[in-house]
C-alpha cells in the first residue's frame, strides 16, 4: 500500500504585542518549545536582520554576473562559428531568463499555502527552499520521491566548487603566477572555507560583503560595455570590427551546423543568465515579502510581492547588460581572432582596448581581466554559499537524511556570538544575535571540497571548471527547469488543482502571461536536455582549450537523477523493513508560528520533529509515512491540506 499523509492545522491569531514577543528571546512559550525532546526549533530573522530590497537585488546581481559572462562568449562563438547565430542565442537566453523569472515569481508567491480559519481561506506564505517546495507541490506522489531526487541532486551539485576553482585560476593569472593544479585547488579550498566561516559566524557580515561585491561587479560590467562602444571613435588606435561582424552577408557565413554544438552553446548561455532564482531560496528572510504595490504590467489591485518588482527591474537591467556585454566583443574583435586556436575572446578584447594605453598593456590587460574575473567568481561564491545552505537546510527538514542525528544537525540553526560592527561607529550596543545554519554550511563545505579534490584527476583546472559548470547547468538549471515549466503548464490546464484561483490570490498573475512564460521556459530548457544526447558529427570541430567526451554531461547528469531515485527506493521500501525501523512509519510533525506583516502572515518560527512510530497496521503496510502540520496562531483547529 502506498504512503498515507495526514496533516492538521491549529491556527491561532495573536495581537500586536504578542506578535513581537513571539519572535523575541524571552517568551516562556518559546522556551518550552525549545526544550521539547527530539525537536528542532528554527527562528526566522527579526526585522533588523531581514533582507532589504537592495540586498535581494545584490544577491541576484552577484549570481548573474559571474565568470560565465566572461568565459561563455569564447565557448559559444567557437561552437557556432557565427556572430549572427551567437547573438540570436544570447537573445534567446535573455527571453528564457525573463520567462524563468516569471515562473519563479508565480511559484514563490503562490506556494506553499496554509489555511487560516480566521481568514476563512488559504493564504500563500513565502518560504526558503525555491524549487524544492514548488516541485513538491507539482509532484505530490509518491511521497518523498521528489524530495529524495531533488535533494540528492542539489546537495551533490548545488555547491561552489566551479567558482572556487575559477577564482584560484584567475587570481594566479592576475598575480602573473603559473597556474598549477595543486595551487589552484589549495586556493579554492581556502576561499570556500572563508565563505562558509563568514556566513556561519557572522551572517550580517556575509550580507555586507555580498552587497559590496554586487556594486563593484556592476561597475566593472558597465566599464567594459562603455569601453566597447567608445571603441568606434578610434580612441584605441585600432579599427573596430563591427561593420564586418554585423553585416548580414557575413554575420551568418560558414556557421557550425552540428546540433551538439548548439546544445552546448545554449547550455552555457543558461548558466551565464542563471541566478535569477536565488531570491526564491531565501524568501523567508526577506523583509515585507508581500506588499500592496502597483505594477503596471499587471492588475494594480492585486497583491504582489515587492520582490516581484525588484527582481523584474533587475532582470530587465541584466537582460540588456548581458547582450550589450556580448555585443561589445562583436564590435571590436574580428571573427577570425575569436575562432583562432586557444583564443580567449575577453582577453583579446582587453588587449585590443586597454592594452593600447601603455607600452606594457599587452601583458597588463590580461591580468586586469583576470582580476575582474576573480572578483566576479568570489562574489558569486559568497552569495551561492549563503543561498545554497538555506536550500540544504530545507531539504534536511523533510526528514530524508540517512541518519536522524545528521538530519537534525543540518536542519538546525545555531546562535552565534555577538558581532556589533555598528558599535565602532557609535551605533547601538545591543546587537541582535545571528542564528546561522552551521550544519548546512558544513555539509555545503564538505561536498564542495570533495568535488574540488575529485576533479583533481583532471590536471587542467580549466577543464575541471567546465565539467562542473556543465553538470550544474544540465541538472539544476535545465532538467529541473523543464520540470518547473512543464509543471506550471500542467497546473494551468488541469482544473483539479484549482491553480488559477490559487495563483490569482497569491501572485496576481494573469493566465495568458503565466502560460506563455511557462511554455518558453520549458522549451528553452528542454532543448539542451534533449540535444545533448545527439552525438557530434565527424566534421564537428570542438572549441580550443580541451574537449571532454560528448556524452559526459548528459550521462553523469541523468546518473545523478537516477541515484536520487535509488535513494528514494531504499528510503521508502528498505529502511522501514530493516533493523529498528521494522514495523514503524515515519511521522513528521511541524508547528509553524506566524505574525502579521503588511496585512499578510509571515512565518516567524518553526518546530519540527521526526519520529519512527509503531505502525499498528504492521504487515505489508509497515513503513507508511505520516506528516502532521500545526500552524500556531491561537488554539483553534482547522484542516490543513
Amino acid at each position: 500500500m502506498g504512503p498515507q499523509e495526514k496533516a492538521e492545522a491549529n491556527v491561532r491569531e495573536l495581537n500586536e504585542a504578542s506578535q513581537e514577543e513571539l519572535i523575541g528571546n524571552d517568551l516562556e512559550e518559546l522556551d518550552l518549545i525549545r526544550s521539547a525532546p527530539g525537536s528542532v526549533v528554527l527562528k526566522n530573522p527579526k526585522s533588523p536582520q531581514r533582507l532589504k530590497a537592495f540586498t535581494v537585488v545584490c544577491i541576484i546581481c552577484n549570481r548573474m554576473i559571474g565568470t560565465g559572462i566572461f568565459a561563455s562568449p569564447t565557448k559559444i562563438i567557437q561552437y557556432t562559428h557565427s556572430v549572427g547565430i551567437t547573438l540570436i542565442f544570447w537573445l534567446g537566453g535573455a527571453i528564457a531568463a525573463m520567462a524563468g523569472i516569471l515562473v519563479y515569481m508565480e511559484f514563490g508567491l503562490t506556494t506553499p499555502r496554509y489555511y487560516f480559519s480566521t481568514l476563512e481561506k488559504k493564504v500563500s506564505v513565502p518560504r526558503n527552499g525555491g524549487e524544492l517546495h514548488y516541485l513538491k507541490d507539482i509532484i505530490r506522489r509518491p511521497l518523498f520521491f521528489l524530495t529524495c531526487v531533488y535533494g540528492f541532486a542539489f546537495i551533490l551539485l548545488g555547491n561552489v566548487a566551479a567558482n572556487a576553482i575559477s577564482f584560484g585560476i584567475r587570481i594566479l593569472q592576475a598575480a602573473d603566477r603559473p597556474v598549477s593544479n595543486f595551487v589552484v585547488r589549495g586556493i579554492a579550498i581556502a576561499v570556500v572555507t572563508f565563505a562558509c566561516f563568514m556566513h556561519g559566524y557572522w551572517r550580517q557580515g556575509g550580507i555586507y560583503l555580498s552587497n559590496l561585491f554586487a556594486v563593484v561587479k556592476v561597475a566593472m560590467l558597465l566599464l567594459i560595455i562603455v569601453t566597447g562602444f567608445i571603441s568606434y571613435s578610434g580612441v584605441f588606435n585600432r579599427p573596430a570590427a563591427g561593420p564586418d561582424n554585423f553585416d548580414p552577408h557575413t554575420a551568418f557565413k560558414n556557421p557550425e551546423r552540428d546540433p551538439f554544438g548548439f546544445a552546448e552553446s545554449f547550455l552555457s548561455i543558461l548558466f551565464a543568465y542563471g541566478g535569477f532564482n536565488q531570491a526564491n531560496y531565501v524568501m523567508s528572510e526577506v523583509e515585507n515579502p508581500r506588499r500592496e504595490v502597483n505594477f503596471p504590467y499587471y492588475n494594480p489591485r492585486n497583491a504582489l510581492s515587492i520582490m516581484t518588482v525588484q527582481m523584474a527591474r533587475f532582470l530587465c537591467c541584466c537582460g540588456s547588460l548581458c547582450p550589450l556585454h556580448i555585443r561589445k566583443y562583436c564590435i571590436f574583435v574580428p571573427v577570425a581572432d575569436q575562432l583562432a586556436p586557444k583564443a580567449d575572446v575577453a582577453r583579446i578584447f582587453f588587449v585590443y582596448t586597454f592594452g593600447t594605453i601603455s607600452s606594457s598593456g599587452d601583458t597588463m590587460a590580461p591580468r586586469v581581466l583576470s582580476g575582474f574575473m576573480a572578483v566576479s567568481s568570489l562574489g558569486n561564491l559568497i552569495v551561492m554559499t549563503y543561498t545554497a545552505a538555506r536550500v540544504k537546510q530545507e531539504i534536511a527538514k523533510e526528514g530524508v537524511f540517512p541518519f536522524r542525528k545528521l538530519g537534525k544537525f543540518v536542519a538546525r540553526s545555531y546562535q552565534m556570538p555577538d558581532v556589533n560592527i555598528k558599535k565602532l561607529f557609535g551605533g547601538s550596543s545591543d546587537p541582535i544575535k545571528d542564528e546561522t545554519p552551521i550544519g548546512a554550511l558544513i555539509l555545503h563545505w564538505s561536498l564542495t571540497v570533495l568535488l574540488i579534490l575529485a576533479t583533481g584527476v583532471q590536471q587542467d583546472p580549466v577543464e575541471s571548471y567546465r565539467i562542473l559548470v556543465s553538470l550544474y547547468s544540465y541538472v539544476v538549471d535545465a532538467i529541473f527547469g523543464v520540470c518547473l515549466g512543464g509543471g506550471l503548464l500542467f497546473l494551468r490546464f488541469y482544473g483539479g488543482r484549482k491553480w488559477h484561483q490559487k495563483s490569482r490570490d497569491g501572485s496576481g498573475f494573469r493566465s495568458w502571461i503565466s502560460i506563455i512564460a511557462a511554455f518558453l521556459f520549458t522549451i528553452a530548457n528542454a532543448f539542451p536536455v534533449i540535444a545533448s544526447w545527439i552525438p557530434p558529427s565527424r566534421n564537428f570541430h570542438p572549441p580550443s582549450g580541451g574537449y571532454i567526451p560528448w556524452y559526459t554531461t548528459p550521462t553523469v547528469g541523468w546518473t545523478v537523477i537516477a541515484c536520487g531515485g535509488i535513494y528514494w527506493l531504499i528510503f521508502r521500501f528498505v529502511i522501514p523493513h530493516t533493523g529498528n525501523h521494522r514495523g514503524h512509519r515515519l511521522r513528521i510533525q511541524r508547528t509553524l508560528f506566524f505574525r502579521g506583516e503588511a496585512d499578510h502572515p509571515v512565518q516567524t518560527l518553526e518546530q519540527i520533529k521526526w519520529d519512527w512510530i509503531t505502525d499498528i497496521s504492521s504487515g505489508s503496510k509497515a513503513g507508511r509515512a505520516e506528516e502532521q502540520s500545526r500552524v500556531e496562531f491561537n488554539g483553534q483547529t482547522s484542516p490543513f491540506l
Side-chain angles (χ1 to χ4, degrees):
M1 180 178 290
Q4 302 295 322
E5 221 178 344
K6 179 182 179 183
E8 297 178 348
N10 186 16
V11 182
R12 196 179 80 199
E13 221 159 70
L14 306 172
N15 57 37
E16 288 298 326
S18 58
Q19 287 176 13
E20 292 299 320
E21 291 177 346
L22 186 61
I23 61 174
N25 295 323
D26 300 324
L27 186 63
E28 292 182 2
E29 183 181 359
L30 188 56
D31 291 335
L32 292 175
I33 293 175
R34 283 177 173 172
S35 62
S39 65
V40 172
V41 176
L42 301 165
K43 294 189 300 179
N44 288 339
K46 293 181 67 174
S47 182
Q49 297 172 304
R50 305 291 291 275
L51 302 178
K52 307 297 189 296
F54 175 73
T55 299
V56 173
V57 171
C58 287
I59 287 175
I60 302 172
C61 170
N62 258 320
R63 185 67 180 88
M64 292 188 74
I65 305 177
T67 309
I69 63 172
F70 294 100
S72 296
T74 299
K75 181 178 181 180
I76 295 165
I77 190 65
Q78 294 187 354
Y79 268 126
T80 63
H81 287 200
S82 167
V83 171
I85 294 177
T86 296
L87 291 177
I88 290 175
F89 272 28
W90 280 104
L91 178 61
I95 295 174
M98 292 179 184
I101 197 79
L102 294 175
V103 170
Y104 272 89
M105 284 191 292
E106 182 170 0
F107 274 116
L109 298 174
T110 310
T111 304
R113 293 163 54 85
Y114 303 97
Y115 183 87
F116 294 87
S117 61
T118 52
L119 300 176
E120 297 183 349
K121 64 178 182 179
K122 289 184 179 180
V123 178
S124 59
V125 180
R127 280 183 66 100
N128 289 353
E131 302 100 342
L132 173 65
H133 298 299
Y134 314 152
L135 292 173
K136 279 178 57 184
D137 191 51
I138 297 170
I139 307 173
R140 298 179 178 179
R141 290 290 187 274
L143 193 63
F144 298 123
F145 174 76
L146 190 281
T147 304
C148 290
V149 172
Y150 177 82
F152 187 91
F154 192 89
I155 288 174
L156 181 62
L157 299 177
N159 57 68
V160 292
N163 279 300
I165 291 174
S166 175
F167 176 79
I169 295 171
R170 302 307 174 182
I171 203 68
L172 287 175
Q173 291 176 343
D176 198 21
R177 294 289 185 269
V179 179
S180 166
N181 188 36
F182 178 79
V183 176
V184 166
R185 297 180 195 280
I187 295 174
I189 293 174
V191 73
V192 169
T193 304
F194 164 76
C196 291
F197 178 81
M198 169 64 76
H199 287 304
Y201 186 79
W202 187 22
R203 172 183 173 274
Q204 199 63 36
I207 294 172
Y208 291 150
L209 203 57
S210 168
N211 294 348
L212 175 63
F213 272 101
V215 173
V216 172
K217 288 164 72 171
V218 170
M220 291 191 311
L221 191 59
L222 290 174
L223 172 64
I224 297 173
I225 292 171
V226 171
T227 301
F229 282 111
I230 65 174
S231 64
Y232 263 128
S233 63
V235 171
F236 301 107
N237 299 320
R238 186 180 181 89
D244 293 333
N245 289 351
F246 293 113
D247 188 337
H249 299 288
T250 58
F252 296 92
K253 187 177 180 180
N254 299 323
E256 181 67 63
R257 292 183 171 85
D258 201 289
F260 174 79
F262 288 168
E264 288 293 300
S265 298
F266 203 74
L267 199 61
S268 298
I269 290 174
L270 290 180
F271 176 76
Y273 274 112
F276 51 79
N277 57 351
Q278 295 301 294
N280 292 68
Y281 292 167
V282 293
M283 290 277 277
S284 296
E285 302 184 21
V286 177
E287 185 175 26
N288 294 330
R290 188 183 297 280
R291 282 181 177 176
E292 294 285 344
V293 297
N294 290 334
F295 191 53
Y297 199 58
Y298 302 101
N299 188 339
R301 293 174 297 176
N302 292 331
L304 300 178
S305 167
I306 187 173
M307 287 176 53
T308 304
V309 179
Q310 297 298 339
M311 290 167 66
R313 287 174 179 171
F314 181 75
L315 186 64
C316 291
C317 174
C318 279
S320 60
L321 286 183
C322 287
L324 289 177
H325 176 73
I326 306 307
R327 181 182 172 87
K328 61 100 169 46
Y329 292 141
C330 299
I331 288 175
F332 208 68
V333 182
V335 175
D337 291 350
Q338 298 183 44
L339 297 177
K342 297 183 178 181
D344 185 331
V345 177
R347 181 181 182 278
I348 297 172
F349 173 81
F350 267 67
V351 171
Y352 285 0
T353 54
F354 299 110
T356 62
I357 296 176
S358 67
S359 58
S360 60
D362 287 349
T363 57
M364 288 301 299
R367 294 176 61 182
V368 172
L369 170 64
S370 296
F372 281 13
M373 296 177 72
V375 171
S376 296
S377 297
L378 184 56
N380 199 320
L381 183 150
I382 288 173
V383 163
M384 194 169 176
T385 296
Y386 182 87
T387 57
R390 269 65 184 177
V391 178
K392 292 170 184 177
Q393 186 180 36
E394 289 292 317
I395 295 171
K397 293 179 186 179
E398 300 297 317
V400 297
F401 270 55
F403 305 103
R404 187 185 306 180
K405 290 184 177 179
L406 175 62
K408 289 182 179 179
F409 176 66
V410 176
R412 181 176 282 118
S413 291
Y414 297 85
Q415 193 173 84
M416 302 309 295
D418 297 345
V419 180
N420 189 9
I421 193 68
K422 293 183 180 179
K423 190 175 181 180
L424 298 176
F425 303 97
S428 172
S429 60
D430 185 23
I432 300 174
K433 295 181 179 179
D434 284 331
E435 286 198 358
T436 57
I438 298 295
L441 286 167
I442 291 176
L443 176 66
H444 179 78
W445 178 88
S446 302
L447 268 298
T448 299
V449 171
L450 178 64
L451 285 182
I452 290 173
L453 297 177
T455 55
V457 296
Q458 172 60 256
Q459 292 299 312
D460 185 2
V462 175
E463 287 303 300
S464 299
Y465 167 80
R466 290 175 178 170
I467 293 171
L468 292 171
V469 165
S470 296
L471 286 176
Y472 179 87
S473 303
Y474 190 84
V475 177
V476 179
D477 289 339
I479 292 180
F480 291 132
V482 170
C483 294
L484 277 180
L488 184 54
L489 290 174
F490 165 76
L491 294 174
R492 280 290 179 183
F493 289 106
Y494 175 64
R497 294 285 186 91
K498 300 180 179 179
W499 183 261
H500 176 75
Q501 180 66 37
K502 295 177 182 178
S503 178
R504 186 178 61 185
D505 294 342
S507 66
F509 274 49
R510 294 177 180 174
S511 296
W512 66 272
I513 296 176
S514 173
I515 292 172
I516 292 175
F519 177 77
L520 293 175
F521 190 60
T522 303
I523 294 300
N525 286 282
F527 170 65
V529 170
I530 297 172
S532 293
W533 286 107
I534 302 175
S537 63
R538 293 183 178 181
N539 297 325
F540 174 71
H541 301 288
S544 58
Y547 175 63
I548 60 176
W550 67 270
Y551 51 80
T552 301
T553 297
T555 301
V556 176
W558 283 106
T559 299
V560 171
I561 298 294
C563 287
I566 294 172
Y567 180 83
W568 171 77
L569 291 174
I570 297 173
F571 181 81
R572 171 66 182 87
F573 296 105
V574 178
I575 293 179
H577 299 277
T578 58
N580 296 331
H581 294 146
R582 184 184 298 273
H584 291 71
R585 70 174 186 268
L586 176 63
R587 180 179 65 183
I588 304 173
Q589 295 175 298
R590 298 175 185 268
T591 303
L592 307 176
F593 291 79
F594 292 86
R595 65 182 175 86
E597 189 173 278
D599 298 326
H600 294 279
V602 175
Q603 183 177 317
T604 301
L605 183 143
E606 180 179 12
Q607 178 191 13
I608 309 172
K609 187 177 181 180
W610 308 276
D611 292 303
W612 285 88
I613 63 174
T614 302
D615 191 343
I616 58 175
S617 61
S618 64
S620 62
K621 297 182 181 180
R624 184 176 58 183
E626 180 181 277
E627 183 172 357
Q628 296 179 343
S629 297
R630 292 170 56 87
V631 182
E632 287 293 337
F633 217 66
N634 230 15
Q636 305 173 8
T637 302
S638 56
F640 170 63
L641 300 176

